[in-house]
Amino acid sequence: MLLYVTACRQETAPKYRIGFSQCTGNDDWRRNMLTEMKRELFYHPEMQLLYKDAESDSKRQAAQITELLAKQIDILVVSPNEAAPLAPVIATAYGKGIPVIILDRKAATDSFTAYIGGDNYNIGKLAADYIAAQLGGKGRIIEVTGLRGSSPTVERHQGFHDALERFPGLRLIATLEGSWVADKTQAAAAKNDSALRQADVIFAQNDVMAYSMYRYCRDKGMAPKRFIGVDASPYPDAGIDLVSRGILSASLLYPSGGKEAISMAADILAGKKVPRNTLLQTVLIDSSNVKLMRLQIDKIQDQHQEIEQQQSLLQEQRSLYQDQQHLLRIVVTTLCIAFLLGIVLFFILRTNRRINHQLKQQRDEILLQRDQLVEMTAKAQEATEAKFTFFTNLSHEFRTPLTLIQAPLENLMGSRQLSAPQKQQLELMRRNVIHLMRLVNQLLEFRRIESGKLQLKVAENDLQSFMIDIMEAYKGVAAKKNIDFRLVSRQPGIKAWFDQHLFDRVLYNLLSNAFKFTADYGKVHIYLERPAHSQEAVIHIQDDGAGMDENTLAHAFELFYQSRNNEHKGTGIGLALTREIISLHHGSIRVKSSKGAGTTFSISLPGNSTPFAPEEIQQEDESMNVINHSLHSYIADAEDSIPAPAVPTTGTTHTLSLLIIEDHPELNHFLVDFLREQYEVFHAGSGEDGLRMAFQHVPDLILCDIMMPGMDGIQVLQTLKKDIRTSHIPVILLSANSSEEQRIKGMQHNADAYISKPFNLKYLSESISSMLNNRALLKDHYIAEPETRVHTTQSNKTDRKFVNDFNAIVEENLGNDQFSVEDICQQLSISKMQLYRKIKQLLNCNVNDYILDARIRKGRYLLMNSKFSVSEIAYACGFSSPAYFSTVFKARTQQTPKAFRDQVNKKPDA
Ligand code: FRU
């Protein structure tokens, strides 16, 4: 980078701008001036020349100088066309602090830094002297001047004129104005033709005008004359050439000052002091020295050429050097970048190595974990397999005893001596045996498919006739439930390849579900179709029943998945088995369902035998039964449960009541049947209904199932125990889940007992009666000691608060004869029925009796401890008359109030 900076510094870019305003660039002398300037500039690369040519127009020149000033020039070099018109702009430039060098012609101002030019006065004088020598002091002369307003014109004329005065024989017969250029000279000559013819010598203030005069005289055939010019420029047809050709007698060398102007500008920029006036030397060139002069000029030209060649060579070297510098800079920069990149790369590589190392460690860990996982999975699979084998074996074991139950049961059911309730109980047993049998069979089939032991035997079957056969079995259920059950097939003769013996399970299972979840007067429709351009046959089984929520739908085909909402409660085998059977057939099953809007199962089956292996295809001789009659157990499942036994609600004289909350209808009915001998039994099929009935009837005890759709047993328990109307009622929870956790959860919510299914009926009935007996004891306890009854540990907080509130209301109103049971109900926000039951439960007495007892207790106290009359005491205790007080008092204490007071007064220690 350092090298880069150094290289930059070495490069020389022009720092200064030299503005050069030329009055005209259109003649050899001025061209020479510019060449000299450029040669000199080569040695000053820090300077840049901005050149303007005014083409002999003073106004234009002034404007061009202003333009140069706007370009921020550092020095102004100007050769003014005319002295006066250019003076203001030159003064302005100088006034702005820009150094001004005036070259050749002068300006009519003192505001400039330096002047460089030939000695024009001396030129005029030398010319006059030369003429005098040539003519021997006698002859006629014509003078041709330059532009009238330019300073050389005036000075040359002055010098010429002054010198001529010394030679009285010399006569200046005319002065013509040629304005420095040929055409104007020709025009002036034409106007002075006669004077020209008389003249011996013509002195023109520059060679251009002298040559023009020569051409005019020659063309007019005038007698030979001498022509003298000024400038002596080294070009063809210019001064030196014309002298050597004898056209001009002489020319006065007039240096351009171009070189001097540039080197003076460099000095000024370098802060050097420069002379204000620099007069350049002149010399007369005529036939006597022109040869020598020419030789010298040629030599100088050669030298210049050589210098120019050297310069261009140098320039080439310079640009080569600059190119190399540029290249070097690029190389250095590239090297620096490469170096920096190298450092970055080094760090990146180091970091990469570290990361790689970490990654390797992580990968090793992951691999280790993966191996462990694989091992664990294998173990888990082994365990699952063992579990399945165990359950499969167990299922096999179940089949024999189940068959042994089913057969005698069916025998028994055939007996004529059975009473209606006995028949109902046997029917309940039969249905549940069939249900169990089906579960066991499904489980075994599932295992057979899973373990690959099941050999598929497919054949091409007519789907419609197969379907009609199966539907036959469901006609009874459909009629019973008034369900619109039909088959819709718009394309006759749809065939599909399947194993009838296996596939019928699929249809039985799906139809059983459809019927089970479809309400009376609903519909179950089956559609058969073969979609266009398809090799498959499709069966849609559509119902407008309960439908499934999103969660149940998502897990519908999972083995043992139990729906949370309990409405689709099942073992979780049926649909999983269905899907297994269909995928064994290379078919597919989809389900569409939404809550309350029904369910549609769509099954696709192959329409040809291509997907099946040869051994899977049934041969002609392997005939099969069309319908597997054992599958009729599915139909039983689709039917409604056995109607509930009529529960007599009136006419019974049981003193204690129970409420059974159980969603399994058959178990519910069974319990009702079993317990109604001893108790008044209310029953509900859901948590919500159960709660409603508990508030309505306030039973003495509640039996509640835990797992129920909607509100479960724990929620029911919580609500009951928090509500003042029911908080006193003992609750026994029933559950199929006998885990410790469930029990603890139940107990945490103040369950009074927890009995797990299956339960022993005797145990259940004993639990109920012992709980009710304990309650009765508790009530006695409350009644015996009014002051301590609220402290009983057995009673819950809600109950204690209730008894306290009740007592307080009664005590407060003992003197109020308008006080009634309605007032208490209003203050406690409960119904009359709830109050009566609650007081009966907690205090084992009638509300009115309790109030009356309290009034009598207060009467006794006042009779013993006050001086009030019996009448006054009667009113104070809320009796409407003293007579009524006496009657009640006597009924309770076997003596009149008066007798009681007398007796007390006789025994002061009583
Ligand atoms: C060129 C020129 C010269 C003369 C000078 C005077 O333009 O006419 O021939 O010597 O200018 O300024």
Side-chain angles (χ1 to χ4, degrees):
M1 291 307 280
L2 274 172
L3 275 171
Y4 179 85
V5 172
T6 320
C8 278
R9 216 183 286 146
Q10 278 170 358
E11 197 178 327
T12 44
K15 264 202 309 201
Y16 303 112
R17 294 171 162 208
I18 315 296
F20 174 35
S21 169
Q22 180 65 292
C23 54
T24 174
N26 198 22
D27 57 65
D28 289 335
W29 188 80
R30 302 261 165 200
R31 267 193 285 277
N32 188 40
M33 182 194 278
L34 196 60
T35 308
E36 281 183 10
M37 281 180 154
K38 284 181 179 168
R39 271 187 206 134
E40 188 62 21
L41 273 172
F42 187 82
Y43 302 104
H44 300 283
E46 77 279 9
M47 294 199 293
Q48 181 192 11
L49 193 71
L50 304 182
Y51 175 67
K52 295 273 179 195
D53 177 358
E55 294 168 9
S56 304
D57 183 335
S58 300
K59 256 194 186 164
R60 184 183 295 167
Q61 190 169 20
Q64 286 180 342
I65 291 173
T66 311
E67 273 175 46
L68 286 172
L69 293 178
K71 285 185 179 163
Q72 316 266 304
I73 51 172
D74 299 288
I75 286 188
L76 176 65
V77 178
V78 56
S79 184
N81 190 43
E82 290 168 291
L86 272 312
V89 69
I90 289 171
T92 307
Y94 186 71
K96 282 187 176 171
I98 296 169
V100 179
I101 298 172
I102 294 179
L103 193 56
D104 161 44
R105 300 182 193 176
K106 291 178 179 164
T109 175
D110 281 339
S111 302
F112 61 89
T113 313
Y115 169 76
I116 300 172
D119 187 350
N120 284 301
Y121 182 83
N122 195 33
I123 283 174
K125 194 170 159 283
L126 282 175
D129 289 345
Y130 177 73
I131 290 168
Q134 291 292 311
L135 294 181
K138 195 170 174 256
R140 286 177 288 270
I141 307 166
I142 284 181
E143 185 193 22
V144 184
T145 65
L147 190 64
R148 192 179 297 169
S150 66
S151 66
T153 303
V154 180
E155 288 171 2
R156 286 176 196 179
H157 172 74
Q158 197 60 53
F160 189 60
H161 208 265
D162 289 352
L164 280 184
E165 281 187 354
R166 287 189 282 124
F167 307 103
L170 292 179
R171 230 165 33 97
L172 184 65
I173 58 168
T175 297
L176 312 184
E177 193 181 337
S179 301
W180 304 120
V181 290
D183 50 352
K184 290 213 171 124
T185 306
Q186 291 267 318
K191 280 185 198 158
N192 294 279
D193 191 77
S194 59
L196 276 172
R197 285 179 192 280
Q198 295 167 28
D200 304 305
V201 176
I202 293 167
F203 166 55
Q205 286 188 352
N206 73 3
D207 293 333
V208 174
M209 294 186 294
Y211 187 38
S212 178
M213 273 299 175
Y214 162 79
R215 285 198 308 273
Y216 182 84
C217 295
R218 186 196 59 195
D219 295 348
K220 292 287 173 187
M222 292 184 193
K225 308 175 197 299
R226 292 171 198 274
F227 294 92
I228 295 155
V230 178
D231 285 348
S233 299
Y235 299 107
D237 283 345
I240 292 185
D241 182 38
L242 294 171
V243 171
S244 61
R245 280 159 58 194
I247 291 171
L248 297 188
S249 307
S251 176
L252 288 129
L253 182 78
Y254 183 57
S256 74
K259 173 186 170 303
E260 289 78 2
I262 293 300
S263 68
M264 181 179 278
D267 286 348
I268 293 172
L269 291 171
K272 289 186 190 161
K273 232 180 133 47
V274 294
R276 184 150 161 95
N277 279 304
T278 304
L279 282 185
L280 303 170
Q281 285 310 306
T282 186
V283 61
L284 187 133
I285 296 165
D286 64 358
S287 53
S288 64
N289 62 358
V290 73
K291 260 203 183 126
L292 187 73
M293 209 62 188
R294 233 202 141 108
L295 276 172
Q296 278 187 350
I297 284 168
D298 285 349
K299 204 166 178 190
I300 289 170
Q301 288 288 22
D302 285 350
Q303 279 176 349
H304 275 313
Q305 260 175 15
E306 206 170 305
I307 288 171
E308 268 162 21
Q309 269 177 7
Q310 294 293 332
Q311 281 178 343
S312 77
L313 216 67
L314 199 68
Q315 187 58 46
E316 265 174 40
Q317 293 294 328
R318 230 187 227 167
S319 67
L320 194 73
Y321 171 70
Q322 274 179 2
D323 283 352
Q324 284 174 348
Q325 261 189 337
H326 193 60
L327 200 72
L328 181 73
R329 276 203 300 276
I330 292 174
V331 170
V332 168
T333 314
T334 313
L335 277 175
C336 288
I337 293 172
F339 181 68
L340 289 177
L341 282 179
I343 293 175
V344 173
L345 205 70
F346 172 75
F347 283 109
I348 289 176
L349 279 176
R350 219 173 60 167
T351 318
N352 257 7
R353 247 204 316 272
R354 220 180 18 236
I355 292 172
N356 272 346
H357 185 69
Q358 282 173 356
L359 278 178
K360 203 175 156 303
Q361 273 183 340
Q362 280 175 4
R363 194 199 58 188
D364 289 349
E365 265 170 45
I366 289 170
L367 283 178
L368 194 75
Q369 282 171 3
R370 190 201 59 184
D371 291 348
Q372 285 171 348
L373 261 179
V374 168
E375 209 176 299
M376 275 156 66
T377 312
K379 276 188 189 156
Q381 251 170 6
E382 244 173 62
T384 313
E385 195 53 36
K387 213 156 64 185
F388 269 122
T389 313
F390 170 73
F391 278 119
T392 310
N393 294 343
L394 205 64
S395 304
H396 274 296
E397 291 301 317
F398 280 147
R399 259 151 60 126
T400 320
L402 277 172
T403 319
L404 289 175
I405 295 171
Q406 193 183 0
L409 196 63
E410 267 158 20
N411 250 347
L412 262 180
M413 284 181 78
S415 163
R416 289 199 187 148
Q417 290 131 17
L418 293 174
S419 66
Q422 280 173 331
K423 265 194 178 156
Q424 235 163 13
Q425 285 194 2
L426 288 177
E427 175 57 21
L428 178 64
M429 285 163 75
R430 188 185 71 91
R431 287 165 62 87
N432 281 289
V433 168
I434 289 174
H435 184 71
L436 264 178
M437 201 63 141
R438 185 164 55 80
L439 288 183
V440 166
N441 288 340
Q442 278 184 337
L443 202 62
L444 289 174
E445 264 160 22
F446 192 86
R447 286 295 294 155
R448 275 172 68 210
I449 294 176
E450 259 214 330
S451 58
K453 283 185 193 146
L454 196 118
Q455 174 70 65
L456 206 58
K457 283 288 171 205
V458 298
E460 189 173 38
N461 296 298
D462 184 89
L463 209 50
Q464 189 166 343
S465 57
F466 182 73
M467 206 70 230
I468 288 170
D469 279 344
I470 289 181
M471 283 173 73
E472 200 52 43
Y474 284 89
K475 283 222 169 119
V477 195
K480 222 191 302 171
K481 292 183 79 176
N482 277 306
I483 283 174
D484 172 11
F485 181 43
R486 64 172 90 163
L487 175 72
V488 183
S489 175
R490 295 208 178 85
Q491 301 148 287
I494 297 176
K495 301 237 182 328
W497 283 77
F498 57 85
D499 182 332
Q500 290 188 357
H501 188 63
L502 261 184
F503 190 63
D504 51 8
R505 282 157 172 76
V506 169
L507 296 176
Y508 275 111
N509 186 38
L510 294 179
L511 282 174
S512 293
N513 277 345
F515 277 97
K516 196 153 133 194
F517 297 115
T518 300
D520 289 4
Y521 299 97
K523 68 163 194 189
V524 174
H525 288 179
I526 301 165
Y527 298 90
L528 301 182
E529 60 164 346
R530 179 187 287 283
H533 315 297
S534 167
Q535 290 298 314
E536 294 184 326
V538 181
I539 307 163
H540 304 281
I541 298 176
Q542 186 186 61
D543 69 59
D544 64 352
M548 294 179 243
D549 60 25
E550 267 178 38
N551 203 32
T552 310
L553 190 64
H555 301 280
F557 295 107
E558 280 172 26
L559 186 61
F560 300 125
Y561 176 76
Q562 299 262 2
S563 166
R564 264 176 182 275
N565 70 14
N566 287 316
E567 278 165 27
H568 279 263
K569 214 153 77 165
T571 55
I573 301 175
L575 282 177
L577 179 64
T578 295
R579 192 178 57 175
E580 285 297 310
I581 293 173
I582 290 170
S583 71
L584 208 61
H585 279 85
H586 308 281
S588 64
I589 180 164
R590 279 172 296 121
V591 58
K592 264 193 211 159
S593 183
S594 59
K595 197 102 184 79
T599 305
T600 304
F601 282 95
S602 302
I603 304 160
S604 296
L605 282 176
N608 54 39
S609 62
T610 338
F612 302 100
E615 65 274 14
E616 287 181 330
I617 295 171
Q618 185 193 328
Q619 300 308 312
E620 289 294 322
D621 51 333
E622 296 175 312
S623 70
M624 307 277 287
N625 278 344
V626 176
I627 300 282
N628 177 357
H629 289 282
S630 71
L631 292 171
H632 283 290
S633 65
Y634 281 100
I635 301 149
D637 206 33
E639 286 171 9
D640 278 340
S641 29
I642 318 169
V647 179
T649 47
T650 50
T652 44
T653 49
H654 299 304
T655 47
L656 293 169
S657 61
L658 300 184
L659 169 63
I660 296 166
I661 309 173
E662 166 63 65
D663 69 312
H664 192 289
E666 285 164 2
L667 180 60
N668 189 322
H669 299 149
F670 181 78
L671 287 171
V672 171
D673 242 18
F674 175 67
L675 293 165
R676 69 177 173 191
E677 295 288 319
Q678 283 170 277
Y679 307 98
E680 182 185 0
V681 182
F682 305 104
H683 66 109
S686 69
E688 290 85 350
D689 276 356
L691 265 187
R692 202 169 33 74
M693 293 182 87
F695 293 134
Q696 190 189 342
H697 300 295
V698 194
D700 292 293
L701 185 140
I702 295 173
L703 270 181
C704 183
D705 187 16
I706 292 186
M707 295 267 288
M708 283 188 295
M711 184 182 261
D712 67 20
I714 299 287
Q715 283 169 290
V716 172
L717 175 69
Q718 272 176 313
T719 319
L720 287 173
K721 291 292 176 183
K722 265 191 212 140
D723 196 293
I724 190 165
R725 295 167 290 175
T726 50
S727 54
H728 63 279
I729 304 173
V731 178
I732 299 178
L733 287 179
L734 295 176
S735 174
N737 191 337
S738 62
S739 72
E740 283 293 309
E741 205 188 331
Q742 268 288 1
R743 282 168 184 276
I744 291 168
K745 200 171 166 197
M747 290 309 178
Q748 272 171 348
H749 289 93
N750 289 332
D752 295 81
Y754 184 102
I755 297 179
S756 48
K757 294 178 192 172
F759 43 79
N760 182 304
L761 279 177
K762 184 104 182 98
Y763 177 74
L764 176 72
S765 112
E766 287 305 322
S767 299
I768 294 172
S769 57
S770 97
M771 204 159 283
L772 288 171
N773 286 339
N774 283 339
R775 288 279 152 160
L777 288 175
L778 190 64
K779 278 175 210 161
D780 293 345
H781 177 70
Y782 274 125
I783 291 154
E785 283 296 332
E787 289 75 21
T788 55
R789 57 175 74 132
V790 291
H791 301 297
T792 318
T793 48
Q794 283 283 319
S795 65
N796 69 31
K797 250 196 220 157
T798 324
D799 289 346
R800 287 204 299 271
K801 185 175 181 309
F802 177 80
V803 172
N804 281 341
D805 290 351
F806 173 74
N807 261 331
I809 296 167
V810 173
E811 293 292 334
E812 242 172 60
N813 289 285
L814 282 182
N816 174 7
D817 65 339
Q818 300 298 312
F819 178 60
S820 70
V821 174
E822 280 80 4
D823 293 330
I824 306 176
C825 293
Q826 210 182 354
Q827 288 192 44
L828 290 175
S829 305
I830 55 173
S831 73
K832 233 177 173 179
M833 164 78 150
Q834 286 163 343
L835 179 70
Y836 278 120
R837 285 193 180 272
K838 188 107 192 161
I839 294 302
K840 182 101 181 75
Q841 278 276 343
L842 293 171
L843 304 174
N844 198 25
C845 65
N846 176 287
V847 179
N848 289 318
D849 284 351
Y850 184 86
I851 299 172
L852 220 47
D853 278 349
R855 290 192 200 278
I856 296 298
R857 268 203 307 276
K858 187 176 175 186
R860 275 165 58 121
Y861 178 81
L862 292 174
L863 286 170
M864 287 195 292
N865 301 303
S866 78
K867 298 273 180 248
F868 296 123
S869 70
V870 171
S871 299
E872 281 168 331
I873 290 173
Y875 292 120
C877 294
F879 289 94
S880 51
S881 70
Y884 180 39
F885 173 53
S886 295
T887 314
V888 177
F889 195 90
K890 190 162 181 209
R892 309 261 154 162
T893 59
Q894 275 73 49
Q895 53 190 155
T896 62
K898 198 174 171 313
F900 175 74
R901 182 175 250 179
D902 292 346
Q903 191 194 344
V904 170
N905 287 344
K906 264 185 225 156
K907 304 188 259 173
D909 57 323

